[in-house]
């Protein structure tokens, strides 16, 4: 499995770091070089509403293109499709440095979202061709947790690039976008060497190929050419967990992840730091998320804890943090609460993804189910910038109140899904007897 892990966990994690940097740095760009008068909002003439739209348009393109991207990977093969996606967002990210107004930035942001939309669900779909559901939690945790480090790296990058303001006649934020897109262009070429499926991987011996195919369940997706089990799609649509999982993904996306879309600004408006130091203070929440998720992933792998109870505990902890942010005025306490909330928010989806994939059956259903479910998370990017608009700052009481409502519904959704999956498992066991 080491050969497989090198590519499906190692390489994908590296690419994911740069993918999240691309998206996270747009939030960092909001406050870069504000004191110099060369900030992105001033140079492009963006109002608070227009800025929120340039943030959220990224997620609209995600929602449009994400569900079908997983099946496109099956049509073109993982290696070729990943090459297209990674190259596309690398070029688009670099192009955003040339935007001159609101319309230009909207177009570029939509293009970046269109290219990046397929990556995360395609990685999970690709893993489903190789790993058992029981083997996925820790691997997903490693992959996803490294992505959680990306905003910390982007904070450091934004801090350093801030000193490049005016170099070559370009504002600091333009240098930021130009630099962040280059690694993706390079990594896209490496993606051409990805192993596609156990049936076709050239890096495997015949014995290894047979072993990897035989160990997977009958309902696992397969890389066999022409294998499209569209009957599983009808079953997917009728499955109530499609809708309860979707409800949870939406509620956590807005309630848990929403603050992440404006975190640098929220931290800055706590009132005890400059814009430059705020970039550095954006790092601890994501470093904490990386550490917390890996610890949780380890205990999930050891079966010391269970995905469902862990997900409920995570949502409950975020609720407590938001209540503190809503009621407490001490700056240090509020910042610590933000760290805990962001750490938990970044861990919720990976904890439950293995259960989501396990509930899917067949190649088509797995592809569309993974893509659809992850697309629901994009409501964080659509609603988040508006929920955490600067018009609600610096206290953001309205924002936290909205998030509390969504998180409460999210807990109800995950409990309902848990019950439905438990009943389904019990029914399958009864049929086998």
């Amino acid at each position: 499995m080491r050969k497989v892990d090198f590519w499906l966990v190692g390489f994908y994690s590296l690419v994911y770091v740069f993918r999240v940097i691309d998206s996270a740095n747009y939030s960092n760009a909001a406050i870069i070089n504000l004191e110099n008068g060369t900030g992105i909002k001033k140079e492009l003439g963006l109002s608070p509403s227009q800025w929120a739209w340039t943030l959220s348009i990224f997620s609209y393109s995600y929602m449009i293109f994400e569900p079908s991207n997983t099946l496109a990977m099956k049509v073109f093969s993982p290696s070729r499709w990943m090459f297209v996606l990674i190259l596309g967002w690398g070029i688009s990210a670099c192009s955003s440095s040339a935007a001159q107004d609101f319309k230009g930035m909207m177009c570029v942001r939509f293009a970046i979202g269109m290219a990046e939309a397929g990556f995360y669900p395609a990685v999970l779909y690709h893993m489903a061709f190789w790993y058992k559901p029981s083997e996925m939690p820790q691997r997903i945790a490693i992959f996803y947790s490294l992505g959680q480090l990306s905003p910390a790296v982007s904070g450091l990058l934004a801090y350093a690039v801030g000193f490049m303001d005016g170099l070559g006649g370009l504002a600091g934020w333009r240098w930021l976008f130009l630099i962040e897109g280059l690694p993706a262009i390079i990594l896209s070429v490496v993606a051409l060497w990805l192993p596609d499926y156990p049936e076709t991987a050239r890096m495997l011996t015949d014995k290894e190929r047979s072993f990897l195919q035989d160990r997977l369940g009958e309902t696992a997706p397969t890389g066999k050419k022409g294998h499209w089990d569209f009957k599983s799609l009808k079953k997917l649509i009728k499955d109530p967990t499609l809708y309860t999982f979707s409800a949870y993904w939406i509620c956590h996306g807005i309630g848990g992840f929403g603050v992440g879309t404006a975190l640098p600004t929220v931290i800055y408006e706590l009132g005890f730091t400059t814009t430059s130091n705020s970039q550095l203070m954006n790092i601890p929440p994501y470093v904490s998320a990386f550490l917390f998720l890996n610890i949780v992933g380890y205990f999930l792998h050891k079966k010391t804890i269970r995905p469902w109870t862990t997900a409920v505990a995570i949502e409950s902890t975020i609720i407590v943090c938001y209540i503190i942010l809503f009621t407490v005025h001490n700056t240090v306490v509020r910042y610590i609460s933000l760290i805990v909330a962001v750490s938990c928010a970044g861990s919720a989806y990976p904890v439950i993804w293995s259960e989501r994939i396990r509930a899917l059956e067949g190649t088509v259903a797995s592809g569309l189910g993974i893509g659809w479910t992850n697309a629901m998370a994009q409501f964080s990017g659509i609603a988040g910038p508006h929920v955490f608009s600067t018009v609600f700052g610096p206290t953001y009481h309205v924002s936290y109140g909205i998030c509390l409502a969504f998180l409460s519904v999210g807990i109800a959704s995950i409990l309902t899904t848990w019950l439905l999956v438990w009943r389904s498992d019990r029914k399958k066991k009864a049929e086998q007897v």
Side-chain angles (χ1 to χ4, degrees):
M1 298 299 290
R2 288 183 180 179
K3 294 179 183 179
V4 181
D5 288 339
F6 174 81
W7 284 102
L8 270 65
V9 180
F11 175 72
Y12 278 150
S13 295
L14 178 63
V15 176
Y16 191 52
V17 166
F18 289 105
R19 196 216 61 78
V20 179
I21 285 176
D22 285 348
S23 55
N25 260 337
Y26 196 71
S27 295
N28 289 321
I31 61 172
I32 194 171
N33 299 127
L34 279 180
E35 294 92 341
N36 299 344
T38 55
I40 184 172
K41 294 178 184 178
K42 183 175 181 179
E43 287 208 340
L44 298 185
L46 303 178
S47 67
S49 175
Q50 287 177 322
W51 173 255
W53 275 110
T54 61
L55 275 167
S56 60
I57 190 65
F58 174 84
S59 295
Y60 279 102
S61 58
Y62 249 81
M63 288 194 67
I64 293 169
F65 296 103
E66 197 165 29
S68 60
N69 253 285
T70 44
L71 295 186
M73 188 190 77
K74 180 76 164 61
V75 173
F76 296 104
S77 82
S79 56
R80 293 176 183 175
W81 190 240
M82 285 298 183
F83 166 76
V84 172
L85 293 179
I86 300 169
L87 180 64
W89 90 56
I91 293 173
S92 299
C94 290
S95 299
S96 61
S97 64
Q100 299 298 318
D101 53 24
F102 172 65
K103 292 179 181 178
M105 186 57 76
M106 287 285 283
C107 290
V108 176
R109 291 283 294 167
F110 186 87
I112 295 173
M114 182 172 62
E116 291 187 2
F119 179 72
Y120 184 78
V123 169
L124 298 181
Y125 188 40
H126 197 188
M127 285 183 175
F129 284 90
W130 291 85
Y131 299 118
K132 298 177 184 178
S134 61
E135 296 169 340
M136 295 183 71
Q138 189 173 29
R139 288 176 169 87
I140 293 174
I142 293 170
F143 164 71
Y144 197 85
S145 67
L146 286 169
Q148 294 300 299
L149 277 181
S150 300
V153 176
S154 69
L156 280 173
L157 180 62
Y159 176 77
V161 171
F163 296 102
M164 296 175 65
D165 188 44
L167 183 65
L170 297 178
W173 65 268
R174 294 188 188 276
W175 277 112
L176 184 66
F177 294 151
L178 188 62
I179 292 171
E180 73 181 24
L182 295 177
I185 295 173
I186 297 169
L187 289 169
S188 68
V189 179
V190 182
L192 292 170
W193 277 267
L194 276 166
D196 292 324
Y197 309 110
E199 297 90 341
T200 60
R202 288 173 291 180
M203 68 177 185
L204 301 176
T205 63
D206 291 337
K207 185 177 180 181
E208 290 171 332
R209 196 174 290 114
S210 298
F211 168 75
L212 287 170
Q213 291 179 71
D214 295 341
R215 61 197 290 277
L216 298 174
E218 293 181 1
T219 59
T222 174
K224 292 178 181 177
K225 193 173 182 180
H227 186 84
W228 295 93
D229 52 344
F230 285 101
K231 289 183 179 179
S232 65
L233 179 58
K234 186 177 180 181
K235 188 176 181 180
L236 172 67
I237 295 172
K238 291 182 176 180
D239 186 358
T241 62
L242 171 67
Y243 308 101
T244 54
F245 269 121
S246 297
Y248 171 65
W249 249 255
I250 292 171
C251 290
H252 179 74
I254 298 174
F257 264 133
V259 68
T261 60
L263 188 62
T265 301
V266 173
I267 290 175
Y268 174 60
E269 291 191 351
L270 286 176
F272 63 94
T273 181
T274 64
T275 57
S276 181
N277 287 335
S278 181
Q279 303 288 9
L280 296 178
M281 296 191 73
N282 196 42
I283 296 173
Y286 293 106
V287 173
S288 299
F290 168 79
L291 295 173
F292 178 67
L293 182 51
N294 274 286
I295 292 170
V296 169
Y298 173 79
F299 285 116
L300 284 170
H301 182 68
K302 293 293 183 181
K303 293 183 171 56
T304 307
I305 56 177
R306 294 291 183 266
W308 300 104
T309 50
T310 305
V312 172
I314 284 173
E315 299 302 318
S316 301
T317 303
I318 299 173
I319 286 176
V320 172
C321 289
Y322 283 168
I323 290 173
I324 292 172
L325 286 164
F326 195 97
T327 58
V328 177
H329 301 289
N330 183 277
T331 302
V332 176
V333 173
R334 288 167 63 82
Y335 179 63
I336 293 172
S337 297
L338 272 175
I339 291 176
V340 176
V342 171
S343 298
C344 290
S347 303
Y349 289 149
V351 160
I352 211 69
W353 255 121
S354 60
E355 290 296 324
R356 179 68 196 108
I357 293 170
R358 187 172 71 84
L360 297 167
E361 298 181 4
T363 304
V364 175
S366 294
L368 285 176
I370 291 170
W372 172 267
T373 302
N374 203 61
M376 296 302 99
Q378 303 316 314
F379 277 97
S380 66
I382 292 173
H386 301 280
V387 171
F388 282 90
S389 173
T390 52
V391 298
F392 299 128
T395 62
Y396 292 98
H397 283 169
V398 173
S399 307
Y400 296 130
I402 294 170
C403 289
L404 284 169
F406 275 99
L407 287 171
S408 299
V409 177
I411 290 177
S413 299
I414 203 66
L415 290 173
T416 303
T417 309
W418 187 3
L419 176 63
L420 291 170
V421 171
W422 176 75
R423 285 180 175 176
S424 177
D425 289 343
R426 190 175 64 170
K427 184 179 178 181
K428 287 176 182 177
K429 286 180 181 179
E431 291 173 350
Q432 291 172 357
V433 174

